Amino acid sequence: MIFRSSVLLSSLISALALFVAVPSSHAFEGCNAKPTSAQVVNVKHMGAKGDGKENDTGTIQKAINEIAGTGGTVYVPNGVYMVRATGKGRLRLRSKMTLKLADGAVLKVIPNRARSYSVLKIGKATDVNVIGGTLLGDRGEHDGKAGEWGMGIRIGPEVKRVSIVGVTAEEMWGDGFYVEGATDVAFCSVVATHNRRQGLSIVEANRLLVTDSVFEQTRGTRPSAGIDIEPDRPEQKVVNVRIEHSRFINNAGGGVMIAGKRGYTADVEIVRNVFEEGRPILIENAPHVRSTEICDNRHIGQVAPPQEGLNAFAETVEVVSLQADCRSGRDMRFEMNRGNTKKKKKKPAN
Protein backbone atom coordinates (compact mmCIF):
# COMPACT_ATOMS: atom_id res chain seq x y z
CA MET A 1 0.00 0.00 0.00
CA ILE A 2 1.35 3.47 -0.94
CA PHE A 3 0.46 6.23 1.47
CA ARG A 4 0.64 9.97 0.78
CA SER A 5 -1.05 12.65 2.82
CA SER A 6 -3.01 15.42 1.12
CA VAL A 7 -0.26 17.84 2.15
CA LEU A 8 2.38 15.68 0.52
CA LEU A 9 0.36 15.41 -2.69
CA SER A 10 -0.12 19.15 -2.79
CA SER A 11 3.60 19.71 -2.31
CA LEU A 12 4.41 17.16 -5.00
CA ILE A 13 2.13 18.83 -7.54
CA SER A 14 3.65 22.22 -6.78
CA ALA A 15 7.20 20.93 -7.02
CA LEU A 16 6.60 19.11 -10.30
CA ALA A 17 6.04 22.49 -11.90
CA LEU A 18 9.71 23.19 -11.26
CA PHE A 19 10.85 20.20 -13.31
CA VAL A 20 11.31 22.06 -16.60
CA ALA A 21 14.34 22.26 -18.83
CA VAL A 22 16.64 25.15 -18.00
CA PRO A 23 19.55 26.06 -20.26
CA SER A 24 22.93 25.65 -18.62
CA SER A 25 26.17 27.41 -19.42
CA HIS A 26 28.11 24.59 -17.77
CA ALA A 27 28.09 22.07 -20.61
CA PHE A 28 28.16 22.13 -24.38
CA GLU A 29 25.15 21.01 -26.39
CA GLY A 30 26.30 17.45 -26.90
CA CYS A 31 23.02 15.52 -26.97
CA ASN A 32 22.39 16.21 -30.64
CA ALA A 33 25.25 13.96 -31.70
CA LYS A 34 25.37 13.79 -35.48
CA PRO A 35 27.94 12.55 -38.00
CA THR A 36 29.35 15.31 -40.17
CA SER A 37 29.77 13.02 -43.18
CA ALA A 38 27.43 10.58 -44.95
CA GLN A 39 30.18 7.95 -45.12
CA VAL A 40 29.21 4.68 -43.36
CA VAL A 41 31.18 1.48 -42.77
CA ASN A 42 29.22 -1.58 -41.64
CA VAL A 43 31.35 -3.81 -39.41
CA LYS A 44 29.84 -6.93 -40.95
CA HIS A 45 31.14 -5.83 -44.33
CA MET A 46 34.58 -5.84 -42.72
CA GLY A 47 34.12 -9.44 -41.53
CA ALA A 48 32.58 -9.11 -38.06
CA LYS A 49 30.32 -12.05 -37.18
CA GLY A 50 28.24 -10.84 -34.22
CA ASP A 51 27.48 -14.46 -33.30
CA GLY A 52 28.48 -14.28 -29.63
CA LYS A 53 31.35 -16.70 -30.24
CA GLU A 54 34.02 -15.29 -32.53
CA ASN A 55 36.41 -12.53 -31.48
CA ASP A 56 35.25 -9.50 -33.51
CA THR A 57 37.73 -6.97 -32.06
CA GLY A 58 40.02 -6.82 -35.08
CA THR A 59 37.31 -6.35 -37.68
CA ILE A 60 35.55 -3.63 -35.66
CA GLN A 61 38.85 -1.80 -35.16
CA LYS A 62 39.50 -2.04 -38.90
CA ALA A 63 36.20 -0.28 -39.53
CA ILE A 64 37.09 2.38 -36.94
CA ASN A 65 40.46 3.03 -38.57
CA GLU A 66 38.82 3.40 -41.98
CA ILE A 67 36.22 5.93 -40.86
CA ALA A 68 38.42 7.93 -38.45
CA GLY A 69 38.96 11.54 -39.42
CA THR A 70 36.11 11.59 -41.96
CA GLY A 71 33.25 12.58 -39.69
CA GLY A 72 31.45 9.44 -40.83
CA THR A 73 29.94 6.46 -39.02
CA VAL A 74 30.91 2.94 -38.06
CA TYR A 75 27.67 0.97 -37.93
CA VAL A 76 27.23 -2.14 -35.75
CA PRO A 77 24.06 -4.13 -36.65
CA ASN A 78 22.12 -6.33 -34.23
CA GLY A 79 24.13 -9.18 -32.77
CA VAL A 80 26.51 -10.07 -29.94
CA TYR A 81 30.09 -9.08 -30.77
CA MET A 82 32.78 -10.58 -28.56
CA VAL A 83 35.56 -8.04 -28.00
CA ARG A 84 38.90 -8.01 -26.27
CA ALA A 85 38.96 -5.37 -23.53
CA THR A 86 42.58 -5.62 -22.36
CA GLY A 87 45.99 -4.55 -23.64
CA LYS A 88 46.86 -2.77 -26.88
CA GLY A 89 44.36 -4.86 -28.82
CA ARG A 90 41.26 -3.29 -27.22
CA LEU A 91 38.90 -1.08 -29.24
CA ARG A 92 40.11 2.51 -29.54
CA LEU A 93 37.96 5.23 -31.05
CA ARG A 94 39.64 8.02 -32.96
CA SER A 95 38.90 11.65 -33.82
CA LYS A 96 36.04 12.87 -35.99
CA MET A 97 33.87 9.77 -36.06
CA THR A 98 30.63 8.23 -34.79
CA LEU A 99 30.20 4.68 -33.54
CA LYS A 100 26.52 3.77 -33.98
CA LEU A 101 25.20 0.55 -32.46
CA ALA A 102 21.78 -0.81 -33.42
CA ASP A 103 19.29 -1.25 -30.59
CA GLY A 104 20.02 -4.99 -30.49
CA ALA A 105 23.79 -4.68 -30.83
CA VAL A 106 25.94 -5.82 -27.89
CA LEU A 107 29.70 -5.46 -27.45
CA LYS A 108 30.47 -8.21 -24.94
CA VAL A 109 33.73 -8.43 -23.01
CA ILE A 110 35.70 -11.62 -23.55
CA PRO A 111 36.14 -12.83 -19.94
CA ASN A 112 39.57 -12.03 -18.52
CA ARG A 113 41.42 -11.77 -15.22
CA ALA A 114 42.76 -8.23 -15.73
CA ARG A 115 42.60 -5.66 -12.92
CA SER A 116 41.81 -3.00 -15.53
CA TYR A 117 40.07 -3.03 -18.90
CA SER A 118 37.78 -1.03 -21.18
CA VAL A 119 35.30 -2.05 -23.84
CA LEU A 120 35.81 1.27 -25.64
CA LYS A 121 38.77 3.63 -25.13
CA ILE A 122 38.63 7.28 -26.21
CA GLY A 123 41.99 8.95 -25.66
CA LYS A 124 43.77 11.88 -27.34
CA ALA A 125 40.79 12.42 -29.61
CA THR A 126 38.25 15.12 -30.53
CA ASP A 127 34.70 15.10 -31.89
CA VAL A 128 33.67 11.54 -31.07
CA ASN A 129 30.11 10.21 -30.76
CA VAL A 130 28.97 6.83 -29.42
CA ILE A 131 25.29 6.16 -30.00
CA GLY A 132 23.02 3.30 -28.89
CA GLY A 133 23.49 -0.37 -28.09
CA THR A 134 24.78 -2.21 -25.03
CA LEU A 135 28.25 -2.72 -23.57
CA LEU A 136 28.22 -5.91 -21.52
CA GLY A 137 30.98 -6.60 -18.99
CA ASP A 138 32.34 -9.87 -17.63
CA ARG A 139 31.40 -9.32 -13.99
CA GLY A 140 29.77 -12.74 -13.65
CA GLU A 141 32.57 -14.48 -15.56
CA HIS A 142 35.64 -12.52 -14.48
CA ASP A 143 38.56 -14.89 -13.85
CA GLY A 144 40.36 -12.81 -11.22
CA LYS A 145 39.50 -11.21 -7.91
CA ALA A 146 41.86 -8.21 -7.91
CA GLY A 147 41.27 -4.73 -9.27
CA GLU A 148 38.20 -2.59 -9.76
CA TRP A 149 38.92 -0.76 -13.03
CA GLY A 150 37.04 -2.69 -15.70
CA MET A 151 35.22 0.06 -17.63
CA GLY A 152 32.53 0.20 -20.28
CA ILE A 153 33.77 3.44 -21.86
CA ARG A 154 36.99 5.06 -20.69
CA ILE A 155 37.35 8.71 -21.77
CA GLY A 156 40.70 10.53 -21.55
CA PRO A 157 43.32 11.84 -21.48
CA GLU A 158 43.40 14.82 -23.86
CA VAL A 159 39.83 14.46 -25.10
CA LYS A 160 37.52 17.20 -26.36
CA ARG A 161 33.90 17.12 -27.49
CA VAL A 162 32.58 13.63 -26.82
CA SER A 163 28.91 12.64 -26.78
CA ILE A 164 27.65 9.32 -25.38
CA VAL A 165 23.98 8.96 -26.31
CA GLY A 166 21.55 6.14 -25.58
CA VAL A 167 24.27 3.67 -24.52
CA THR A 168 23.76 1.02 -21.83
CA ALA A 169 26.79 -0.16 -19.83
CA GLU A 170 26.19 -3.09 -17.51
CA GLU A 171 27.91 -5.82 -15.51
CA MET A 172 31.34 -4.13 -15.61
CA TRP A 173 34.10 -5.25 -13.25
CA GLY A 174 34.52 -1.56 -12.41
CA ASP A 175 32.56 1.39 -13.82
CA GLY A 176 29.99 1.74 -16.54
CA PHE A 177 31.60 5.02 -17.68
CA TYR A 178 34.86 6.73 -16.65
CA VAL A 179 36.18 10.24 -17.43
CA GLU A 180 39.71 11.44 -16.67
CA GLY A 181 41.12 14.34 -18.70
CA ALA A 182 38.33 15.63 -20.93
CA THR A 183 36.56 18.84 -21.95
CA ASP A 184 33.00 19.11 -23.25
CA VAL A 185 31.56 15.65 -22.55
CA ALA A 186 27.85 14.78 -22.63
CA PHE A 187 26.09 11.67 -21.34
CA CYS A 188 22.56 11.73 -22.71
CA SER A 189 19.95 9.03 -22.04
CA VAL A 190 22.59 6.54 -20.92
CA VAL A 191 21.96 3.63 -18.56
CA ALA A 192 24.51 2.22 -16.11
CA THR A 193 23.19 -0.89 -14.40
CA HIS A 194 24.65 -3.41 -11.94
CA ASN A 195 28.25 -2.30 -12.35
CA ARG A 196 30.62 -3.29 -9.58
CA ARG A 197 32.26 0.01 -8.51
CA GLN A 198 30.48 3.05 -10.03
CA GLY A 199 27.90 3.90 -12.62
CA LEU A 200 30.01 6.88 -13.73
CA SER A 201 33.33 8.14 -12.36
CA ILE A 202 34.39 11.73 -13.08
CA VAL A 203 38.04 12.19 -12.12
CA GLU A 204 39.12 15.17 -14.23
CA ALA A 205 36.79 17.17 -16.48
CA ASN A 206 35.65 20.62 -17.53
CA ARG A 207 32.11 21.16 -18.87
CA LEU A 208 30.40 17.83 -18.44
CA LEU A 209 26.68 17.16 -18.79
CA VAL A 210 24.62 14.20 -17.57
CA THR A 211 20.98 14.32 -18.60
CA ASP A 212 17.94 12.01 -18.86
CA SER A 213 19.99 9.03 -17.67
CA VAL A 214 19.65 6.13 -15.23
CA PHE A 215 22.22 4.86 -12.72
CA GLU A 216 21.04 1.79 -10.85
CA GLN A 217 22.03 -1.22 -8.76
CA THR A 218 25.70 -0.24 -8.41
CA ARG A 219 27.26 -2.55 -5.84
CA GLY A 220 30.17 -4.89 -5.24
CA THR A 221 33.12 -2.73 -4.15
CA ARG A 222 33.29 0.75 -2.65
CA PRO A 223 32.20 3.46 -3.21
CA SER A 224 29.36 1.86 -5.27
CA ALA A 225 27.82 5.24 -6.17
CA GLY A 226 25.63 6.06 -9.11
CA ILE A 227 27.99 8.93 -9.98
CA ASP A 228 31.29 9.57 -8.18
CA ILE A 229 33.02 12.94 -8.69
CA GLU A 230 36.47 12.44 -7.22
CA PRO A 231 39.81 13.83 -8.45
CA ASP A 232 42.72 11.52 -7.64
CA ARG A 233 45.60 14.04 -7.55
CA PRO A 234 46.12 17.66 -6.41
CA GLU A 235 46.55 18.93 -9.99
CA GLN A 236 43.27 17.43 -11.16
CA LYS A 237 40.08 19.50 -11.36
CA VAL A 238 36.43 18.69 -11.92
CA VAL A 239 34.56 21.89 -12.78
CA ASN A 240 31.38 22.98 -14.58
CA VAL A 241 29.34 19.81 -14.20
CA ARG A 242 25.58 19.58 -14.56
CA ILE A 243 23.58 16.48 -13.58
CA GLU A 244 19.89 16.83 -14.46
CA HIS A 245 16.64 14.95 -15.12
CA SER A 246 18.19 11.59 -14.19
CA ARG A 247 17.26 8.68 -11.92
CA PHE A 248 19.42 7.05 -9.27
CA ILE A 249 17.96 3.73 -8.15
CA ASN A 250 19.15 1.51 -5.30
CA ASN A 251 22.88 2.20 -5.52
CA ALA A 252 24.71 0.76 -2.51
CA GLY A 253 26.89 3.85 -2.06
CA GLY A 254 24.17 6.39 -2.77
CA GLY A 255 23.16 8.48 -5.77
CA VAL A 256 25.87 11.13 -6.23
CA MET A 257 29.12 11.27 -4.27
CA ILE A 258 31.50 14.25 -4.43
CA ALA A 259 34.90 13.82 -2.77
CA GLY A 260 37.33 16.74 -2.96
CA LYS A 261 40.05 15.68 -0.57
CA ARG A 262 42.68 14.93 -3.23
CA GLY A 263 41.85 17.54 -5.89
CA TYR A 264 39.66 20.55 -6.73
CA THR A 265 35.93 20.36 -7.43
CA ALA A 266 33.66 23.34 -8.11
CA ASP A 267 30.56 24.50 -9.98
CA VAL A 268 28.56 21.29 -9.79
CA GLU A 269 24.82 21.58 -10.44
CA ILE A 270 22.57 18.69 -9.40
CA VAL A 271 19.02 19.60 -10.38
CA ARG A 272 15.65 17.93 -11.03
CA ASN A 273 16.78 14.36 -10.41
CA VAL A 274 15.01 11.49 -8.70
CA PHE A 275 16.76 9.38 -6.06
CA GLU A 276 15.13 6.09 -5.11
CA GLU A 277 16.32 4.34 -1.96
CA GLY A 278 19.68 4.90 -0.30
CA ARG A 279 21.42 8.20 0.37
CA PRO A 280 20.82 10.85 -2.32
CA ILE A 281 23.96 13.03 -2.21
CA LEU A 282 27.19 12.93 -0.18
CA ILE A 283 29.70 15.78 -0.36
CA GLU A 284 33.06 15.49 1.40
CA ASN A 285 35.80 18.13 1.55
CA ALA A 286 34.45 20.10 -1.42
CA PRO A 287 33.81 23.64 -0.09
CA HIS A 288 33.46 25.11 -3.60
CA VAL A 289 30.39 22.97 -4.34
CA ARG A 290 27.49 25.27 -3.46
CA SER A 291 24.34 23.99 -1.83
CA THR A 292 22.28 26.51 -3.81
CA GLU A 293 23.20 24.61 -7.00
CA ILE A 294 21.68 21.38 -5.63
CA CYS A 295 18.02 22.06 -6.29
CA ASP A 296 14.57 20.70 -7.07
CA ASN A 297 15.45 17.03 -6.59
CA ARG A 298 13.14 14.28 -5.29
CA HIS A 299 13.89 11.36 -3.00
CA ILE A 300 11.63 8.32 -2.83
CA GLY A 301 12.24 6.09 0.16
CA GLN A 302 10.58 3.24 2.00
CA VAL A 303 9.81 3.49 5.71
CA ALA A 304 8.33 1.00 8.12
CA PRO A 305 4.69 1.91 8.77
CA PRO A 306 3.05 2.17 12.18
CA GLN A 307 2.14 -1.27 13.48
CA GLU A 308 -0.45 -0.20 16.02
CA GLY A 309 -3.42 2.08 16.26
CA LEU A 310 -5.62 3.64 13.61
CA ASN A 311 -2.66 4.42 11.33
CA ALA A 312 -1.32 0.86 11.21
CA PHE A 313 -0.44 -0.51 7.78
CA ALA A 314 0.58 -4.03 6.87
CA GLU A 315 2.87 -2.98 4.04
CA THR A 316 5.82 -0.61 3.65
CA VAL A 317 4.99 3.06 3.23
CA GLU A 318 6.50 4.98 0.33
CA VAL A 319 7.56 8.53 1.20
CA VAL A 320 8.36 11.20 -1.38
CA SER A 321 10.57 14.07 -0.22
CA LEU A 322 10.70 17.23 -2.33
CA GLN A 323 13.64 19.61 -2.34
CA ALA A 324 11.78 22.89 -2.79
CA ASP A 325 13.66 25.18 -0.40
CA CYS A 326 17.20 24.68 -1.68
CA ARG A 327 17.77 28.25 -2.89
CA SER A 328 17.70 29.52 0.66
CA GLY A 329 20.28 27.04 1.88
CA ARG A 330 21.13 23.39 2.38
CA ASP A 331 18.37 20.78 2.55
CA MET A 332 19.71 18.10 4.86
CA ARG A 333 17.18 15.55 3.62
CA PHE A 334 19.15 15.42 0.37
CA GLU A 335 22.67 16.58 1.01
CA MET A 336 25.13 15.25 3.53
CA ASN A 337 28.09 17.62 3.57
CA ARG A 338 31.20 16.74 5.53
CA GLY A 339 34.49 18.54 5.87
CA ASN A 340 37.81 17.08 6.89
CA THR A 341 36.94 14.71 9.69
CA LYS A 342 40.49 14.03 10.88
CA LYS A 343 40.89 14.65 14.58
CA LYS A 344 43.58 17.08 15.62
CA LYS A 345 46.39 15.60 17.62
CA LYS A 346 46.43 16.72 21.19
CA LYS A 347 49.45 18.71 22.25
CA PRO A 348 51.55 16.95 24.87
CA ALA A 349 51.14 18.31 28.38
CA ASN A 350 53.94 20.55 29.64
Side-chain angles (χ1 to χ4, degrees), residues 271-284:
V271 294
R272 302 175 183 87
N273 302 286
V274 177
F275 299 89
E276 297 185 32
E277 295 300 320
R279 180 182 58 215
I281 301 164
L282 171 64
I283 303 172
E284 295 184 308

Side-chain angles (χ1 to χ4, degrees), residues 175-179 187 198-202 208 210 215 225-228:
D175 305 352
F177 307 97
Y178 181 92
V179 181
F187 293 91
Q198 319 279 23
L200 163 64
S201 285
I202 307 170
L208 185 146
V210 177
F215 301 87
I227 296 178
D228 180 29

Side-chain angles (χ1 to χ4, degrees), residues 149-161:
W149 304 283
M151 314 303 186
I153 300 180
R154 188 180 186 109
I155 300 172
E158 299 177 39
V159 169
K160 292 182 179 180
R161 296 184 299 278

Side-chain angles (χ1 to χ4, degrees), residues 43 46 49 58 63 89 121-122 135 155-156 194 252 263 329:
V43 297
M46 307 298 285
K49 301 299 183 184
K121 174 78 166 88
I122 307 173
L135 311 179
I155 300 172
H194 202 236

Side-chain angles (χ1 to χ4, degrees), residues 53-75:
K53 298 177 182 179
E54 188 159 336
N55 183 348
D56 286 319
T57 314
T59 52
I60 296 174
Q61 188 64 53
K62 187 177 179 181
I64 291 169
N65 294 344
E66 182 167 320
I67 211 73
T70 70
T73 301
V74 172
Y75 179 67

Side-chain angles (χ1 to χ4, degrees), residues 306-327:
Q307 298 300 312
E308 297 178 357
L310 296 176
N311 293 322
F313 294 97
E315 299 179 25
T316 301
V317 177
E318 183 180 80
V319 176
V320 180
S321 299
L322 306 170
Q323 188 187 26
D325 55 353
C326 50
R327 291 172 185 82

